[in-house]
């Protein structure tokens, strides 16, 4: 056991004190107590551990001292220190330098001083009553210093006369218990209750006024009564003794006859005490003040020592202490009157002597106020920060002006830290919320590239009820914009030049003035900072980072808006993309892309945009050609990556692949039409092919009509309309969030209306099947024309030889040659039915897929897709072939008529 004692922290700490001072254990008792206090304290800076913020503060201090060169040198040294990675705790070093640079003799106006004031535990005996029995073990260390700081607290509001009160729910709260101002004239306002009571009581004939507050405390505990009481009957307790007991009960101290009942949780008169019913009832009513006092006092004693309660909670405890101090001042006046009566030896009940009935009248207002404070304490249990301020604000919704003034006074103290947080955030972008009380939250683990989206957020539970959600959103955006400018855009413009900082809530009085005009001055401050900061941020993004130009580049290149460039690129890429995907090389395709840029109007674009345009090859699957894996890409980084996020670029890639495939179908059908027009005259000499060629022309016309209507729908109804809406919203945007939201809506609209969302998966599968039929038809027609042209070339060659031999005077052909020619022609003619049947099967498959596609369009909830089905089947060609299409069309028309 001795070994354990020698290793205990207390023994080790005492040994350390002896070794440092060189004194014995008895001589270092004072140093040992001080060391225990230091170790038991929780000193921590009330500032967020953000290296960037601390470095900015150091540079601001240097600039305030007109040391611009030193600020630039510090910035360069800090940048080098970040790149080397020698120190793991750079924030701690910078904060130490900042702390050492401050002059301890100069009072600071930072919010940190306010936090330091309320971070200390309020002493348990911070009151002015001489009756509160203080236990030595509960007295906070350093009381002399702390009480000196608290004595300068702001005085409370005046006195109110209140009506009915309930303890349930947020009810109106009266004004403070007692004001500490000197007596005023009637013209100057209502006198405080303590002063009015002091003037009403009789003045002692002694040289010193008995009404003055005692400078020192009288002996603790109930003193021996010096009053001569009237004769009692049958051992009945005198009223004077009850008055003395009641004064102790008012402070939560058990009296001789009235004691706290732990079982019933109330003060009760001992049942053995002989007392008339009226005095017993009156004493019970007065004893309720002691129970209310204990409830409020218990809350303040418990919370004042809790550092995690935060600055707002400590402000609330401070306001409760102020109210209790005024209550104690009244009790001090009453006790002084009791002492005067004892010194004068009053033996009869005069008009000015203290009685239970007079106490009942004089303590009516304090009792109602204590009830209000007790109810407020109950309602604020378990709350902190902005949530606590909302609970206090709820009690101010009353028509009684005096009650409303009290709540406004408490609310001004409670909201003072919140408003200081707010002003530091919107004017400097600094968030010093050690105890997580402010409604803006910061995640230090988020990297810079996700600063705008993820680093800062709203704690909805901490938004005070007197701040609207729109104001909270603007506050979040203001500070977020300042940090985005500094950390992402690397803009070193001081916040003071972005928006002029107005007067902040330096004192609770300033906070009260702001709270009294939430829709006026407060709203104007937030709106001014919001508009100035957001406008500056958008100007920086457009001027330095070409945000709008990048947005237009996405439209021109990834959404195929630059028509001449896309067409020329397809012409150049065709020889490469028809090859298997595994044989493609990205550097070859990149060279072709640069050639297409130099040969079209794309060459006149900004060089910053063109260098971001690149070629990307998708993942290769077996059997893929170059058309299936080719894609354009656009590299984004820096601040513009906040708008064009990785998810957005994934959407752009999906839309490009869809548009590229649709454009390829148009390109393919153009080649098919060219082949038909070029070969039509050549094959006129082969009448046996007329039926097959006619069938090819009809099928090609159906496909051309389908693709043209789809291209019209995609280009005009989807892309152009959505782009026009996006551009109008971007031009009218007031902050970066508006641009991001408009861009997200633009992409979501394109994804859904281009059949790329999950709800349109079946439609997209049918459309891809139609595209596959077009490619198959191109292969079939190419095969047909190849064999037909070969046969035509052989026939022309045969006729040419025949004519040549006739000119030479010989027979044109021999019987064997003629037989061979006829056999070859017959073999060719036998292949024509196979070609016709192949085209018929292809046509049947194509039309069945189109019909299924139209049925899905008819049943789509999107009205634009239903109108697309009308254009695709404008002459009801497919409707006549498909019964389901007729049923769907009828149902759709009936549904539209019913909606009308």
């Amino acid at each position: 056991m001795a070994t354990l004692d020698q290793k205990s922290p207390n023994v080790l700490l005492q040994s350390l004190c002896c070794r440092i001072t060189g004194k014995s254990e008895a001589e270092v008792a004072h140093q040992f107590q001080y060391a225990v206090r230091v170790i038991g304290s929780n000193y921590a800076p009330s500032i967020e551990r953000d290296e960037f913020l601390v470095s900015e503060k150091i540079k601001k201090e240097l600039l305030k001292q007109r040391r611009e060169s030193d600020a630039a040198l510090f910035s360069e040294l800090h940048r080098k220190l970040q790149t080397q990675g020698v120190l793991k705790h750079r924030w701690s070093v910078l904060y130490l330098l900042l702390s050492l640079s401050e002059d301890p003799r100069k009072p600071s106006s930072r919010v940190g001083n306010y936090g330091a004031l309320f971070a200390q535990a309020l002493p348990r005996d911070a009151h002015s009553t001489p009756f509160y029995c203080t236990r030595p073990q509960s007295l906070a260390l350093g009381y002399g210093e702390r009480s000196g700081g608290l004595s300068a607290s702001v005085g409370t509001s005046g006195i109110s006369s209140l009506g009915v009160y309930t303890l349930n729910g947020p009810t109106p709260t009266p004004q403070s218990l007692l004001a500490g101002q000197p007596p005023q004239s009637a013209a100057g306002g209502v006198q405080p209750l303590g002063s009015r009571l002091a003037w009403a009581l009789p003045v002692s004939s002694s040289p010193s006024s008995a009404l003055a507050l005692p400078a020192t405390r009288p002996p603790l505990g109930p003193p021996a009564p010096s009053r001569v009481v009237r004769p009692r009957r049958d051992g009945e307790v005198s009223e004077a003794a009850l008055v003395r007991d009641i004064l102790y009960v008012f402070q939560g101290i058990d009296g001789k006859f009235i004691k706290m009942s732990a079982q019933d949780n109330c003060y009760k008169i001992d049942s053995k005490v002989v007392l008339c019913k009226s005095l017993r009832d009156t004493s019970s009513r007065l004893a309720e003040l002691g129970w209310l006092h204990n409830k409020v006092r218990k809350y303040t004693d418990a919370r004042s020592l809790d550092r995690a309660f935060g600055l707002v909670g400590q402000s609330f405890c401070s306001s409760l202490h102020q109210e209790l101090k005024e209550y104690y001042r009244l009790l001090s006046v009453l006790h002084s009157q009791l002492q005067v009566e004892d010194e004068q030896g009053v033996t009869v009940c005069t008009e000015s002597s203290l009685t239970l009935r007079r106490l009942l009248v004089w303590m009516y207002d304090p009792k109602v106020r204590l009830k209000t404070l007790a109810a407020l304490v109950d309602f604020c249990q378990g709350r902190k920060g902005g949530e606590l301020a909302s609970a206090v604000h709820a009690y101010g919704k009353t028509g009684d002006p005096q009650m409303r003034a009290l709540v406004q006074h408490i609310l001004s103290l409670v909201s003072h830290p919140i408003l200081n947080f707010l002003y530091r955030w919107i004017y400097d972008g600094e968030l010093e919320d050690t105890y997580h009380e402010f409604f803006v939250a910061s995640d230090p683990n988020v990297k810079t590239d996700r600063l705008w989206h993820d680093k800062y957020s709203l704690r909805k539970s901490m938004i005070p009820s007197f701040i609207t959600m729109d104001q909270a959103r603007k506050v979040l955006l203001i500070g977020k914009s300042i940090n985005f400018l500094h950390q992402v855009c690397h803009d070193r413009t001081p916040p003071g030049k972005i928006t002029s900082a107005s007067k902040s809530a330096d004192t609770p009085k300033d906070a009260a003035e702001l709270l009294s005009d939430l829709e006026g001055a407060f709203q104007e401050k937030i709106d001014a900072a919001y508009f100035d900061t957001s406008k500056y941020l958008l100007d920086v993004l457009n001027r330095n980072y070409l945000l709008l130009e990048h947005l237009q580049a996405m439209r021109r290149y990834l959404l195929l808006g630059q028509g001449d460039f896309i067409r020329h690129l397809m012409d150049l890429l065709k020889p490469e993309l028809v090859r298997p995907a595994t044989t493609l090389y990205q550097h070859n395709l990149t060279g072709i892309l640069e050639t297409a840029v130099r040969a079209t109007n794309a060459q006149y674009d900004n060089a910053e945009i063109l260098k971001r345009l690149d070629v990307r090859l998708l993942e290769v699957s077996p059997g893929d050609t170059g058309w299936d894996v080719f894609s354009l890409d656009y590299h984004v980084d820096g601040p513009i990556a906040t708008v064009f996020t990785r998810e957005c670029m994934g959407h752009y890639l999906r839309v490009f692949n869809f548009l590229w495939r649709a454009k390829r179908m148009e390109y393919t059908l153009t080649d098919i039409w060219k082949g038909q027009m070029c070969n039509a005259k050549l094959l006129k000499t082969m009448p046996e092919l007329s039926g097959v060629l006619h069938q090819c022309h009809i099928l090609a016309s159906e496909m051309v009509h389908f693709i043209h209507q789809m291209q019209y729908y995609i280009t005009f109804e989807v892309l152009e309309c959505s782009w026009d809406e996006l551009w109008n919203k971007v031009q009218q945007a007031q902050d970066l969030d508006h641009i991001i939201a408009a861009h997200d809506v633009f992409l979501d609209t394109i994804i859904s209306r281009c059949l790329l969302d999950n709800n349109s998966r079946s439609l997209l599968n049918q459309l891809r099947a139609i595209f596959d039929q077009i490619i198959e038809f191109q292969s079939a027609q190419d095969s047909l024309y190849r064999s037909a042209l070969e046969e035509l070339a052989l026939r022309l060659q045969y006729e040419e030889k025949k004519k040549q031999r006739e000119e030479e005077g010989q027979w044109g052909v021999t019987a064997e040659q003629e037989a061979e020619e006829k056999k070859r022609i017959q073999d060719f003619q036998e292949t024509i039915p196979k070609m016709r049947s192949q085209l018929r099967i292809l046509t049947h498959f194509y039309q069945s897929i189109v019909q299924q596609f139209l049925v899905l369009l008819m049943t789509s909830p999107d009205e634009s897709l239903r109108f697309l089905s009308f254009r695709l089947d404008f002459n009801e060609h497919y409707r006549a072939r498909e019964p389901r299409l007729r049923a769907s069309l009828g149902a759709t028309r009936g549904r539209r008529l019913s909606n009308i």
Side-chain angles (χ1 to χ4, degrees), residues 128 130 194-195 197-199 201-204 206-216 218 329-337 339-340:
S128 58
S195 303
L197 182 59
W199 285 104
L201 296 176
V203 181
S204 173
S206 60
S208 62
S209 175
L211 296 178
L213 295 180
T216 60
R329 186 174 300 171
L330 172 60
L331 298 184
S332 177
V333 172
L334 295 176
H335 180 68
S336 299
Q337 172 62 16
Q339 284 182 332
V340 169

Side-chain angles (χ1 to χ4, degrees), residues 543-773:
R543 181 180 65 253
N544 299 344
Y545 296 96
L546 308 176
L547 175 61
L548 297 183
E549 284 78 357
H550 288 299
L551 195 61
Q552 292 175 331
M554 296 288 182
R555 172 70 181 95
R556 289 198 301 270
Y557 298 113
L558 296 189
L559 300 183
L560 311 189
Q562 189 78 22
D564 59 333
F565 166 76
I566 297 299
R567 178 69 189 188
H568 190 59
L569 180 64
M570 278 192 166
D571 290 337
L572 297 178
L573 287 175
K574 183 179 178 181
E576 293 286 334
L577 298 185
V578 296
R579 297 162 47 190
T582 54
T583 62
L584 297 180
Y585 296 98
Q586 187 166 354
H587 61 274
N588 293 338
L589 301 179
T590 303
I592 295 175
L593 174 64
E594 294 176 356
T595 303
V597 169
R598 289 194 298 268
T600 59
N601 287 330
Q603 63 181 315
Y604 301 112
D605 273 346
N606 194 316
E608 176 68 19
I609 292 175
L610 293 179
K611 74 178 184 180
R612 295 176 181 269
L613 193 62
D614 197 3
V615 170
R616 179 176 181 176
L617 294 178
L618 305 180
E619 186 177 353
V620 179
S621 299
D624 283 349
T625 63
W627 290 104
D628 300 318
V629 298
F630 175 81
S631 175
L632 288 181
D633 196 10
Y634 197 85
H635 300 293
V636 292
D637 54 13
I640 62 171
T642 302
V643 178
F644 304 107
T645 60
R646 186 175 303 174
E647 294 80 8
C648 291
M649 296 310 297
H651 291 330
Y652 273 115
L653 183 60
R654 292 178 60 195
V655 175
F656 174 83
N657 290 333
F658 174 78
L659 298 177
W660 182 256
R661 185 176 295 232
K663 199 71 175 177
R664 179 196 173 191
M665 295 303 105
E666 183 181 5
Y667 189 81
T668 300
L669 287 174
T670 302
D671 288 345
I672 290 175
W673 180 82
K674 284 181 181 179
Q676 291 176 349
M677 295 300 103
C678 294
N679 297 321
K681 294 182 179 180
L682 294 177
L683 298 179
K684 279 185 179 180
T685 58
M686 301 176 67
E688 63 271 20
L689 290 177
S690 60
V692 179
L693 295 179
H694 178 69
Q695 194 172 353
C696 288
H697 282 249
I698 291 176
L699 183 56
S701 297
E702 288 188 30
M703 292 180 174
V704 168
H705 168 72
F706 182 89
I707 293 300
H708 281 179
Q709 293 301 322
M710 287 299 302
Q711 283 285 14
Y712 171 82
Y713 167 76
I714 294 170
T715 304
F716 294 98
E717 294 193 12
V718 177
L719 295 179
E720 286 301 328
C721 293
S722 301
W723 173 257
D724 185 64
E725 292 179 6
L726 170 64
W727 192 251
N728 290 334
K729 290 179 180 179
V730 168
Q731 295 297 327
Q732 300 171 4
Q734 296 179 345
D735 56 54
L736 184 57
D737 264 356
H738 288 166
I739 294 180
I740 294 175
H743 185 247
D744 290 342
V745 170
F746 169 71
L747 285 179
D748 291 341
T749 303
I750 291 178
I751 289 291
S752 62
R753 299 186 68 182
C754 285
L755 314 179
L756 298 177
D757 58 342
N758 294 329
N759 297 329
S760 304
R761 190 176 299 275
S762 58
L763 277 169
L764 183 61
N765 292 335
Q766 292 295 323
L767 186 60
R768 287 177 175 173
I770 294 174
F771 290 167
D772 292 340
Q773 292 299 313

Side-chain angles (χ1 to χ4, degrees), residues 395-413:
Y395 272 76
K397 299 176 181 178
T398 174
D400 190 329
Q402 294 178 337
M403 292 170 57
R404 191 165 58 249
L406 170 64
V407 177
Q408 288 295 332
H409 170 71
I410 296 178
L411 185 61
S412 65
L413 289 175

Side-chain angles (χ1 to χ4, degrees), residues 58-130:
I58 295 177
K59 284 186 277 187
K60 285 181 183 178
E61 293 296 330
L62 294 175
L63 292 176
K64 286 181 181 178
Q65 301 172 13
R66 301 184 180 277
R67 298 165 59 186
E68 291 80 2
S69 59
D70 291 343
L73 179 61
F74 170 78
S75 179
E76 180 64 21
L77 293 175
H78 179 231
R79 187 186 62 79
K80 291 182 178 180
L81 182 63
Q82 286 179 316
T83 57
Q84 293 182 2
V86 177
L87 297 178
K88 294 183 179 178
H89 303 286
R90 293 192 300 271
W91 176 88
S92 302
V93 176
L94 292 177
Y95 188 79
L96 175 62
L97 295 176
L98 177 62
S99 302
L100 293 176
S101 67
E102 295 178 349
D103 188 358
R105 297 170 297 177
K106 182 179 178 181
S108 177
S109 60
R110 296 190 305 161
V111 182
N113 290 338
Y114 189 89
L117 173 63
F118 287 101
Q120 296 179 357
L122 293 174
R124 291 173 177 256
D125 57 340
H127 51 75
S128 58
T129 176

Side-chain angles (χ1 to χ4, degrees), residues 529-549:
Y530 167 73
F531 287 121
D532 292 343
T533 308
S534 299
K535 182 178 182 299
Y536 184 80
L537 173 59
L538 294 182
D539 289 343
V540 169
L541 289 176
N542 292 328
R543 181 180 65 253
N544 299 344
Y545 296 96
L546 308 176
L547 175 61
L548 297 183
E549 284 78 357

Side-chain angles (χ1 to χ4, degrees), residues 335-395:
H335 180 68
S336 299
Q337 172 62 16
L338 194 60
Q339 284 182 332
V340 169
E341 295 177 6
D342 290 342
E343 291 172 1
Q344 292 178 348
V346 177
T347 58
V348 295
C349 181
T350 63
E351 293 182 357
S352 59
S353 61
L354 285 180
T355 63
L356 292 180
R357 289 186 178 276
R358 286 195 175 96
L359 280 180
L360 195 63
V361 174
W362 291 334
M363 299 305 292
Y364 175 77
D365 282 351
K367 179 179 178 180
V368 176
R369 283 190 288 277
L370 278 179
K371 278 187 176 182
T372 303
L373 294 179
L376 192 59
V377 163
D378 277 340
F379 191 60
C380 294
Q381 288 288 349
R383 303 173 190 265
K384 62 178 290 187
E387 191 177 7
L388 177 61
S390 298
V392 175
H393 181 256
Y395 272 76

